[in-house]
Amino acid sequence: METARNVMTAGTLGALLDRSLVQMAEAAADARTYDRETIYTVSDVWDNNTFPLFRALAARTWWGRDRRARAALEWMAAFGVERRTWMAEQSAIAGYPLLPPSMGTDRHYRHYRDYRGVVRASREPLTTEVAAAVGVDYDLATAEVRSLLLERIGTRLTGALVVTARRRYTSERPADEVAELRLRLDEVTDAHFNSHDSSRITMDFGTGQVAIGMGKRGILRAAGATVHPDDLSWHLSAAGRAFDARTLAGSRPSHEAPPPRWQEPLGEGPLVAATILHNAMLQIRMVRYARHAGEVLVRPLCLAFAGAGKSILAASTYMRASRREEAFRQLVEGWVRKGGPDLAPWFAARLRALAGEVSGTTREWVTSVIPQLERDSEVEGGAASDLPAEAELRLVKYVAAHTRHEHPYAGSALVQLAVPPRPQAGQDESWTLYGWEFTSPHLFQLSDTVFHGATNPQLIGAPGAVRSLSLNGGDLTVATAKLEDPLWRHLGTAAAST
C-alpha cells in the first residue's frame, strides 16, 4: 500500500490509531447499537501494531520515521484484503488517502500447514458443494448442537453455531472423539431452538438463503454462512486430502509472520506509554468473549486515549532524550487525567506493574502517580439487584454440558440486555448493557422474535425452587435449578480494575 504521494508518512500510522479509538468509542456509545464485532476487530489490529508504532516513531529523523512507518504499515496491511480495506477507509477519513486495498502482499493462506506439516482447514463460505463435502466427512444425522449464539451486531442479527459430529473417515483420533463444526451466520432472518431437541443437523439452500436445521423443529435461516471444521485429523478427510495436494509446503497462517524490528530499545518514558496503550487495547479486545462485553470500559478507555496517535508523534519529534522522556511522561499523565475515577483503578494497576520494569527517575515518576490514582478509585455502579422493567435483547448464548480434550464443562446460558437510563440519570447517560449468566440450565428455548423491539424480562418461580428467566412471553426461556447472581455490568461504570 502507498499514500497518494507514493510515501507512507508517520502521520498515517498515528492517524490510523486515532481513527481506531474513535471507531471503537462510537461502536460502544449506546447498548442498543453496541457493535462487539467492530470493537474486537479494531482493537485486535493494535495487539501486534502498538509497539511497531512506537518503534517506528522512535527514529531520530523525519525520513527515518517515514521509512519505519512504511514498513510498519506494509506489515499491518499484509493481513488480508479486509484489513487493507479498513486501513484505506479509515486513513482516507483522517486525510491520509491510501491507494486501493488490492495493493500490498497478502500473507493470508486459505489453507495452511501447521507445525506438524499437515494441512489445516480454514473458514469457507457455506455453499451446496461445501455442505455436501462436510456431509461426506462427518455424520450430520447424529450431530448435536454444542453451542448457539445470536447477537445484534449494530443493527444486524448474526449467529454462531457449534455442532459436534462423528468422523466418517478413518482417523488416528479416539473412536469416541467428535469433531466440532463451527458455523457463522450473517443476517439471520429466522431462528427457533429448543435445547431438548438439538440432535441431527441439516443444511439446505434456497434463493439467497442458508437454512440450518437442528433437531425436528429447530431452524436457523440467514443470508449467508461460513463453516470451519475444528478437527486435528482434518488432513485425513476427503476434503483435507484434496487440499493437501495443492497447499504450499511453507504455508503458514498470517499471524505467524513477525512484525518489523529495529535494534535500538525504546526509552523508558516511551516504553511506559507504549505498554499502557497496548494493555488498553488488550483490555478492549476482551469483548471477544461475550460474557465480558459489559465489563470492559470500552468507551471510557477510548476517550481517555483519544488523539494518542497525534500526541505520540509530537512527543517523538524531540531530539534531546530528556525532553522526549518528559514529553511521554506528560502524555501518560494526560491519559490518566482523562480517564477520571472510572479508570483510576485500571491505570493504577498497570503503573504498579510497570514500576518494576523501569529504573531511576522514571520509576520514581511512575510510583508518584499511583497514590493519587488509588485515592480516586472509588467507583459507583456495578451489580444491580432487580431486573429492569424494560430492555432490548442484544445477545443470547447457550452452551450444552460437554467434555472436550478430556475436560468436563458445565452447561451455561448468557443473556445480555440493553437497558434504558435510570430515571434519575443525567441527560448525557445512554442505554447501557447488562448481563445474566446461568449455570447448568435444564431448558433453553429461543425464537428470533425476542430480538424485535423492547421486552419486559420476568423471573418465574419461588425462591429455592426451579426458576426461569422469560422474555417476550416465552420467546426466550432459560430455566435452571440454581439461579446465579446477575452479572449486571454497566457500560462506563463497571469495575475498571478488571
Side-chain angles (χ1 to χ4, degrees):
M1 294 179 70
E2 301 177 355
T3 61
R5 293 188 303 275
N6 211 33
V7 174
M8 282 189 164
T9 67
T12 308
L13 196 55
L16 280 173
L17 172 59
D18 289 339
R19 277 300 307 160
S20 298
L21 293 164
V22 170
Q23 200 177 8
M24 292 187 293
E26 291 174 348
D30 190 310
R32 290 170 294 181
T33 54
Y34 189 82
D35 191 339
R36 190 167 64 97
E37 185 179 79
T38 290
I39 296 167
Y40 164 70
T41 301
V42 175
S43 60
D44 189 55
V45 172
W46 297 101
D47 174 14
N48 293 324
N49 287 283
T50 298
F51 280 94
L53 164 75
F54 277 82
R55 294 190 183 281
L57 300 185
R60 292 297 185 262
T61 62
W62 68 264
W63 60 86
R65 287 190 289 274
D66 281 350
R67 185 181 68 253
R68 291 185 179 187
R70 183 181 299 112
L73 285 166
E74 288 283 4
W75 185 77
M76 181 188 291
F79 276 67
V81 174
E82 289 184 5
R83 170 70 65 81
R84 293 197 293 276
T85 299
W86 173 82
M87 291 173 66
E89 291 173 349
Q90 299 307 312
S91 60
I93 293 172
Y96 293 86
L98 299 175
L99 289 182
S102 59
M103 301 293 290
T105 301
D106 196 346
R107 286 197 307 269
H108 174 72
Y109 295 95
R110 184 182 176 196
H111 296 280
Y112 68 95
R113 297 186 185 278
D114 64 13
Y115 66 94
R116 301 171 297 170
V118 301
V119 69
R120 295 296 302 274
S122 65
R123 187 166 298 279
E124 301 247 27
L126 187 59
T127 62
T128 302
E129 293 76 16
V130 170
V134 170
V136 168
D137 289 328
Y138 302 98
D139 185 4
L140 298 182
T142 60
E144 296 185 348
V145 173
R146 174 161 287 180
S147 69
L148 171 64
L149 180 147
L150 286 178
E151 178 179 16
R152 286 278 182 201
I153 298 292
T155 57
R156 297 179 297 117
L157 184 60
T158 64
L161 176 69
V162 177
V163 301
T164 57
R166 296 187 181 280
R167 302 176 181 89
R168 288 182 178 273
Y169 62 87
T170 302
S171 165
E172 75 276 11
R173 309 295 299 176
D176 60 347
E177 182 186 81
V178 292
E180 288 188 345
L181 305 177
R182 298 177 172 270
L183 296 99
R184 293 180 185 172
L185 300 99
D186 194 29
E187 301 289 355
V188 175
T189 58
D190 189 13
H192 297 275
F193 176 72
N194 187 309
S195 59
H196 292 173
D197 179 28
S198 63
S199 180
R200 187 174 181 272
I201 303 299
T202 61
M203 301 178 184
D204 295 313
F205 302 85
T207 304
Q209 268 200 337
V210 176
I212 309 298
M214 303 169 291
K216 295 179 180 178
R217 297 181 180 85
I219 192 71
L220 287 171
R221 288 191 177 90
T226 61
V227 62
H228 173 228
D230 187 0
D231 180 3
L232 290 174
S233 295
W234 183 79
H235 60 288
L236 299 175
S237 69
R241 290 196 305 273
F243 279 106
D244 180 70
R246 54 181 187 269
T247 300
L248 298 176
S251 299
R252 289 290 185 271
S254 58
H255 60 76
E256 292 187 6
R261 298 183 183 277
W262 296 283
Q263 293 301 314
E264 73 272 20
L266 288 174
E268 291 199 329
L271 176 63
V272 171
T275 304
I276 289 178
L277 178 59
H278 184 243
N279 284 178
M281 292 300 180
L282 296 182
Q283 182 78 22
I284 293 170
R285 197 179 64 168
M286 287 293 291
V287 303
R288 174 184 184 181
Y289 305 101
R291 74 181 309 275
H292 293 302
E295 298 174 343
V296 180
L297 301 176
V298 176
R299 186 169 174 80
L301 281 166
C302 290
L303 295 179
F305 289 95
K310 184 177 181 180
S311 299
I312 293 165
L313 178 58
S316 299
T317 58
Y318 290 104
M319 298 298 292
R320 289 178 55 190
S322 59
R323 186 66 189 92
R324 181 181 291 215
E325 174 79 11
E326 180 60 28
F328 275 101
R329 291 184 187 183
Q330 292 176 2
L331 178 58
V332 171
E333 290 172 2
W335 294 341
V336 168
R337 283 193 300 272
K338 288 193 292 183
D342 284 350
L343 291 179
W346 187 89
F347 276 112
R350 272 64 192 176
L351 288 171
R352 196 177 298 111
L354 273 167
E357 299 181 23
V358 293
S359 59
T361 59
T362 303
R363 177 183 291 180
E364 293 173 3
W365 161 67
V366 168
T367 55
S368 71
V369 177
I370 296 172
Q372 180 59 47
L373 286 169
E374 291 174 336
R375 288 192 292 270
D376 293 341
S377 292
E378 294 297 324
V379 180
E380 298 180 0
S385 57
D386 299 319
L387 280 169
E390 178 187 11
E392 291 184 11
L393 183 64
R394 295 299 301 172
L395 178 149
V396 62
K397 182 178 182 181
Y398 164 79
V399 180
H402 62 279
T403 299
R404 190 164 191 256
H405 302 314
E406 301 182 354
H407 189 284
Y409 294 88
S412 64
L414 176 65
V415 178
Q416 288 183 352
L417 306 169
V419 178
R422 299 161 296 179
Q424 67 274 23
Q427 291 185 346
D428 59 342
E429 221 176 293
S430 62
W431 284 54
T432 51
L433 193 66
Y434 291 84
W436 203 315
E437 190 168 33
F438 301 82
T439 301
S440 302
H442 63 78
L443 174 64
F444 179 93
Q445 184 173 284
L446 169 72
S447 171
D448 65 279
T449 53
V450 73
F451 282 93
H452 302 165
T455 182
N456 57 329
Q458 293 182 331
L459 282 176
I460 301 170
V466 173
R467 304 182 72 188
S468 65
L469 173 69
S470 176
L471 273 68
N472 206 32
D475 284 345
L476 173 66
T477 300
V478 185
T480 180
K482 181 182 179 183
L483 188 65
E484 300 292 335
D485 292 334
L487 296 175
W488 296 128
R489 293 295 185 238
H490 185 299
L491 283 178
T493 59
S497 58
T498 303

